[in-house]
Amino acid sequence: MNMSHPSVHPVEAPPVTDGGAVNVPVPRVRMKDIQGMPGTPGGLFLRLCQFLFAVVALSIMTSTSDFVSVTAFCYLVAAVALQSLWSLLLAIVDVYAILVQRCLRNARIISFFTIGDGITSTLTFAAACASAGITVLIGTDLDECGQNHCARFETATAMAFLSWVSVSPSFLLNFWSLASH
């Protein structure tokens, strides 16, 4: 008894056509711009938040007369000054990209943004952590808030943390975009 078994053979896909033309390749679909990435309104919003929080932290810290006596506070001033300049620069680039409807998906641009966001966010986070430690030392451990500007130090430190929190999505989205190329 001879039984025949059906066999399946792979078949090539027919050539892609566009409007009746044969062998015209369809362009690859690019990943949709996610809000928060460079050149999007969400990215501009994140940049403006980073800038505003960093400027507020910088303004509050420099308004105290004795921040220069503590190294961690000087480091915070330097870090948020750098963060505010970086965020303002990229906010201007985002405004330009939005106005001229330009996509900022170039691998070099994304890597530049990723490296810059990584450096500034690390510096801001480290400065905020150091300042928080000194603020706790002054306020809780030494109980010398009467002689110092503890409320201002705490507010500036909180603003630095908020600046870092708003840099983190930008960094992660840029890093993800760079990794997916």
Side-chain angles (χ1 to χ4, degrees):
M1 204 169 196
N2 193 355
M3 294 183 73
S4 106
H5 296 285
S7 62
V8 177
H9 297 287
V11 177
E12 287 186 27
V16 178
T17 62
D18 184 22
V22 179
N23 293 333
V24 175
V26 176
R28 288 180 39 189
V29 177
R30 296 181 66 107
M31 185 170 56
K32 184 179 175 186
D33 284 337
I34 298 172
Q35 289 303 314
M37 296 184 85
T40 63
L44 177 60
F45 175 75
L46 285 173
R47 294 294 174 195
L48 291 176
C49 286
Q50 296 162 21
F51 174 72
L52 290 175
F53 289 134
V55 165
V56 169
L58 180 66
S59 300
I60 291 171
M61 191 58 81
T62 56
S63 71
T64 64
S65 59
D66 56 347
F67 84 91
V68 293
S69 63
V70 179
T71 306
F73 294 157
C74 292
Y75 178 44
L76 180 72
V77 167
V80 294
L82 179 66
Q83 180 65 57
S84 62
L85 290 174
W86 174 254
S87 298
L88 179 63
L89 174 71
L90 293 188
I92 291 169
V93 170
D94 281 343
V95 166
Y96 172 76
I98 291 169
L99 289 177
V100 298
Q101 297 178 348
R102 191 74 199 229
C103 180
L104 298 176
R105 301 290 298 220
N106 184 316
R108 288 185 185 192
I109 293 173
I110 296 294
S111 62
F112 178 69
F113 288 175
T114 304
I115 292 168
D117 282 344
I119 291 170
T120 58
S121 68
T122 302
L123 291 174
T124 302
F125 182 69
C129 288
S131 296
I134 296 299
T135 304
V136 168
L137 174 70
I138 293 170
T140 306
D141 298 339
L142 300 177
D143 198 28
E144 292 187 13
C145 275
Q147 301 172 16
N148 294 297
H149 307 284
C150 286
R152 287 185 182 183
F153 294 152
E154 290 169 355
T155 305
T157 302
M159 291 297 121
F161 274 117
L162 289 174
S163 181
W164 170 74
V165 165
S166 52
V167 172
S168 298
S170 300
F171 171 73
L172 293 173
L173 286 170
N174 287 332
F175 188 71
W176 174 62
S177 176
L178 189 63
S180 66
H181 268 76

